[in-house]
Amino acid sequence: MKNTTSTILEQKRNGDKITMLTAYDYSTAKLIDEAGINSILVGDSLGMVMLGYEDTLSVTMEDMIHHTRAVARGAKNALIVADMPFMSYQTSVYDAVVNAGRLIKEGRAHAVKLEGGATVCEQIRAIVDASIPVVAHLGLTPQSVNAFGGFKVQGKTEDDAKKLLEDAKAIEKAGAFAVVLECVPAKLAKLITQTLSIPTIGIGAGADCDGQVLVYQDMLGMFSDFTPKFVKKYTDVGEVMKRAFKEYINEVKASEFPSEEHGFKISDDIIDKLY
Ligand code: KIV
């Protein structure tokens, strides 16, 4: 079944949990799509898990378009959401619409995601007015890592919790069709979920959100730089890969790979004529 913004909204109404994973390339997007995911997020987390930066701040529009195009070629049914990178929308409403348009037109995403609450509502409104669906992102918004002083849980004090709730209402009013809640106390995420009519998609925000999202390298055990508390490792693909790489190295060194079955034949007559 093809997932759209309408089917995602319908899932909230029906109490059917929304599933989302990140992907950044064709092969992984194809596998995730075939597994039956509702939505694929081409997150700017690609800066960390694909490109090796220490945060998401260096990710460019070109990076996002390049990876979104690859994901769009691999996914047939998932709703593809592309992240708007740092400084592609904060600078002006005009920049926000132009850059959101590029992610749809050149990247072939179905929707864009941007970070922030009341301060980016003008941008959300303008992008939605350009017929581009928007997912908002509240709580630990990684593009604000320097303002937060690190990757920290948000909304823990009364003032911060109130502000998060107000931001959630504001982005809904501005026209966002869903919101990612990252590293938000579970009870606050539950209250926001009950308050909004658009779906909440949680990452480190408890089980009461309307859906969940994870970075696929985290849930497969492929990213070892650090593992956030909210990650569940479903398997250890990193170990499986390392074992296979070692086996390959050993077999090449021992001239065991390639064997005859992995090669191509030519008649000896032809070879003899070349000597
Ligand atoms: O960039 C990303 O992968 C994200 C998720 C962590 C929600 O924004």
Side-chain angles (χ1 to χ4, degrees):
M1 188 200 80
K2 199 105 185 133
N3 292 272
T4 65
T5 53
S6 309
T7 61
I8 298 283
L9 283 163
E10 212 173 286
Q11 282 184 260
K12 171 156 182 140
R13 275 182 234 120
N14 297 338
D16 175 16
K17 293 275 188 183
I18 298 154
T19 57
M20 183 187 248
L21 280 171
T22 64
Y24 317 96
D25 68 278
Y26 171 82
S27 307
T28 312
K30 195 158 183 258
L31 288 170
I32 293 175
D33 192 69
E34 285 168 0
I37 204 86
N38 293 129
S39 180
I40 291 179
L41 171 66
V42 188
D44 61 354
S45 51
L46 72 85
M48 298 168 83
V49 296
M50 299 296 287
L51 305 177
Y53 297 137
E54 65 183 45
D55 52 42
T56 58
L57 303 179
S58 301
V59 175
T60 65
M61 275 300 297
E62 269 53 48
D63 292 332
M64 290 310 305
I65 291 167
H66 177 74
H67 286 274
T68 304
R69 283 172 78 94
V71 167
R73 286 191 286 267
K76 297 283 166 269
N77 293 315
L79 179 86
I80 300 165
V81 180
D83 255 342
M84 299 198 67
F86 184 53
M87 287 299 129
S88 69
Y89 59 94
Q90 291 93 339
T91 43
S92 71
V93 172
Y94 176 83
D95 285 350
V97 177
V98 169
N99 287 319
R102 289 191 69 198
L103 290 168
I104 304 295
K105 202 169 172 176
E106 300 172 50
R108 304 300 303 175
H110 304 120
V112 299
K113 176 167 81 59
L114 53 81
E115 299 181 5
T119 54
V120 292
C121 278
E122 246 193 285
Q123 280 89 331
I124 294 175
R125 221 169 280 119
I127 296 169
V128 172
D129 281 348
S131 301
I132 298 170
V134 174
V135 178
H137 185 157
L138 295 173
L140 198 185
T141 44
Q143 292 175 15
S144 304
V145 60
N146 290 323
F148 290 152
F151 295 105
K152 294 175 183 163
V153 178
Q154 300 296 308
K156 288 183 85 164
T157 66
E158 187 182 337
D159 282 352
D160 289 352
K162 257 189 204 153
K163 185 177 177 302
L164 247 174
L165 185 58
E166 289 314 309
D167 276 339
K169 290 180 195 167
I171 59 91
E172 172 170 55
K173 198 159 169 239
F177 80 94
V179 57
V180 166
L181 299 178
E182 178 166 355
C183 286
V184 172
K187 285 184 180 168
L188 177 58
K190 182 179 179 181
L191 174 63
I192 294 171
T193 302
Q194 288 167 342
T195 304
L196 300 187
S197 56
I198 59 170
T200 59
I201 301 176
I203 175 162
D208 292 308
C209 292
D210 298 304
Q212 296 293 327
V213 57
L214 281 178
V215 170
Y216 88 84
Q217 283 93 340
D218 285 342
M219 56 94 72
L220 294 185
M222 290 172 71
F223 184 70
S224 55
D225 291 5
F226 64 90
T227 306
K229 181 178 186 287
F230 56 75
V231 168
K232 177 175 174 182
K233 233 194 234 183
Y234 283 81
T235 181
D236 204 341
V237 171
E239 273 313 308
V240 173
M241 287 172 80
K242 259 195 266 180
R243 212 179 309 129
F245 295 150
K246 278 184 188 157
E247 206 178 321
Y248 166 75
I249 291 165
N250 291 339
E251 285 196 4
V252 170
K253 296 259 185 220
S255 297
E256 287 168 15
F257 176 82
S259 59
E260 233 178 86
E261 61 173 313
H262 300 112
F264 303 98
K265 291 199 163 71
I266 187 172
S267 99
D268 286 343
D269 290 349
I270 294 173
I271 292 296
D272 288 346
K273 280 182 196 155
L274 300 178
Y275 278 97

